[in-house]
Amino acid sequence: MNISSKNIANLLDETLLEFKKRPVDMLNINDGDGEYIYLKTMRASYIRTIKDIVNFFSSYNKTDTKILEIGSFLGALTFTLKKLNFDICALDIPEFFKSKNVNDRFSENNVPYFGVNLKEYQLPFESSSFDMVVMCEVLEHLNFNPLPVLKELNRVIKKDGSIYIGMP
């Protein structure tokens, strides 16, 4: 995959604009503007992550890459990676997926999503299912021993797969 930084930024901006035009309002408190502002503040981090992923898989000349994003939140990163033709599924805390608006957005983008409490340590995927697990802005929120979670990530990663962790 050969895509420029400018194209990545444009695709992400297109995705973010969708959140401005049609807010998710996850909590049903008329805070779509607040969600959009948050997503915009994360723009540089999203661009860096997308570039890293695209460059990583380009260097291996790998296509039909399967990615799991843990901590997908509203899906800005997820949907942009989907537009880049990655086979991606999303995972976040179950409470996020109780929102009809969140469910609708993931369904519209043809992205499978799962509500999982990482404290339970069991991901609902077969072993060796993913080429990469992306986990940005998540690890610092775990208020329990993260080692069993990391072990579980290792289980769902293919033998030559990678784990991408981003921290604030």
Side-chain angles (χ1 to χ4, degrees):
M1 176 182 303
N2 190 3
I3 185 163
S4 72
S5 295
K6 183 178 179 184
N7 288 342
I8 288 171
N10 288 342
L11 271 178
L12 176 63
D13 289 340
E14 176 185 299
T15 301
L16 295 178
L17 191 57
E18 292 169 18
F19 287 97
K20 182 174 180 142
K21 288 179 181 175
R22 198 168 51 94
V24 172
D25 191 25
M26 177 188 292
L27 300 176
N28 293 315
I29 58 173
N30 294 324
D31 193 30
D33 289 340
E35 291 172 348
Y36 175 71
I37 290 167
Y38 171 78
L39 294 173
K40 286 289 283 185
T41 64
M42 296 299 296
R43 183 180 182 275
S45 177
Y46 291 149
I47 288 173
R48 181 192 69 236
T49 300
I50 295 164
K51 281 183 188 178
D52 287 348
I53 292 168
V54 167
N55 289 336
F56 179 80
F57 288 110
S58 292
S59 67
Y60 287 97
N61 205 17
K62 185 157 179 51
T63 57
D64 53 307
T65 304
K66 191 163 185 185
I67 296 175
L68 169 64
E69 182 188 8
I70 296 178
S72 57
F73 188 45
L74 297 172
L77 180 67
T78 311
F79 303 149
T80 305
L81 288 169
K82 180 75 173 181
K83 289 174 184 176
L84 289 167
N85 295 318
F86 286 101
D87 181 3
I88 188 160
C89 67
L91 183 144
D92 215 313
I93 59 175
E95 292 79 6
F96 286 179
F97 295 112
K98 288 181 182 174
S99 165
K100 180 182 179 330
N101 295 338
V102 171
N103 283 304
D104 290 348
R105 193 61 61 97
F106 278 87
S107 293
E108 290 165 13
N109 284 279
N110 296 314
V111 173
Y113 55 92
F114 300 85
V116 174
N117 185 338
L118 293 177
K119 209 175 210 178
E120 296 167 6
Y121 304 130
Q122 184 72 37
L123 296 176
F125 307 108
E126 292 183 24
S127 297
S128 303
S129 299
F130 297 97
D131 296 291
M132 179 177 275
V133 172
V134 175
M135 195 163 95
C136 296
E137 314 291 329
V138 173
L139 200 56
E140 71 275 11
H141 293 282
L142 302 183
N143 60 358
F144 51 88
N145 182 358
L147 293 178
V149 172
L150 295 173
K151 183 178 178 184
E152 186 65 2
L153 298 183
N154 230 3
R155 181 186 67 78
V156 301
I157 290 283
K158 292 179 182 176
K159 182 181 176 189
D160 59 348
S162 298
I163 298 172
Y164 182 100
I165 295 177
M167 303 275 291

